[in-house]
Amino acid sequence: MSPLVRAVGRALFGDYELYAIYAIDTAPGRRPVGEAPGQAMFVPLNGPEQLPAELSEVAAYAGPEAALFGLRVGKNYVAACAFQWGRRYARERGFIPLADGEAKLVQITTAPAARGQGAARTLIAAASSAMAKRGFVRLYARVWRGHQASQKAFVAAGWEQCAWVVGLRVLNIAPRLRLTFGRLRP
């Protein structure tokens, strides 16, 4: 995109959002989701104290109506993620309207040394399976439009892109207008 087009776009719409929305159906009889293979160990986290500093941003999502998961290789955590649902998600995030039995993966972080080795894919798949066992039938995630590594990890874990969400402010005036292209629900 040329600098002129970008400048005109920012003048008209301010900062914009462009997210790919991914989803997976986890109801019984739907596509299987994987478990942690080989030497990796999938761990539901009881609290943020278990995470090293490089993964600690995930800890901010701990609490009621949330689930934290980690992926450990040996004694070291290499990735962590958090899901939220219910009133808490609606109050704190609310980007996607969630129905009963639905949750959103709100944060996933991979340690720099583990990037590019499948840790995110493995964690996404194992955490999806764990959320299904907790009774969640549909899970969502949003990924910034240019974050190809994340997009590939979700697809490799069995998730499918179901929508695009564009957010902008006309003439840079609040409130932000969000447009959804695609279907959030089957």
Side-chain angles (χ1 to χ4, degrees):
M1 185 178 317
S2 77
L4 177 61
V5 171
R6 197 173 291 144
V8 169
R10 288 202 191 274
L12 291 174
F13 303 116
D15 289 331
Y16 67 93
E17 303 173 323
L18 181 55
Y19 291 102
I21 306 300
Y22 288 84
I24 188 167
D25 290 321
T26 59
R30 299 292 176 117
R31 101 180 42 103
V33 290
E35 299 293 337
Q39 298 176 341
M41 179 184 291
F42 169 72
V43 181
L45 299 172
N46 296 323
E49 67 281 348
Q50 296 170 283
L51 295 174
E54 59 194 356
L55 302 176
S56 64
E57 66 189 72
V58 173
Y61 300 97
E65 296 181 307
L68 274 61
F69 301 100
L71 184 69
R72 207 169 63 201
V73 176
K75 295 182 181 182
N76 300 316
Y77 282 94
V78 297
C81 71
F83 285 88
Q84 287 183 340
W85 60 87
R87 289 184 181 163
R88 179 178 182 192
Y89 174 78
R91 183 180 64 250
E92 293 179 10
R93 315 285 293 180
F95 191 85
I96 297 171
L98 297 177
D100 289 342
E102 297 180 340
K104 182 174 172 291
L105 194 155
V106 293
Q107 181 67 36
I108 183 164
T109 303
T110 303
R115 292 182 184 153
Q117 299 175 29
R121 173 195 44 82
T122 299
L123 179 58
I124 292 165
S128 299
S129 181
M131 292 296 285
K133 289 175 184 170
R134 292 179 179 208
F136 290 93
V137 297
R138 189 157 173 90
L139 305 172
Y140 293 95
R142 71 177 182 175
V143 178
W144 182 250
R145 62 144 171 85
H147 204 292
Q148 293 178 349
S150 291
Q151 292 169 346
K152 288 178 183 178
F154 279 99
V155 170
W159 292 51
E160 296 178 349
Q161 183 179 340
C162 63
W164 285 97
V165 174
V166 178
L168 44 89
R169 288 190 174 99
V170 178
L171 298 176
N172 211 14
I173 300 171
R176 183 175 299 276
L177 174 66
R178 283 202 177 116
L179 305 170
T180 302
F181 301 93
R183 294 179 48 182
L184 293 176
R185 294 191 173 66

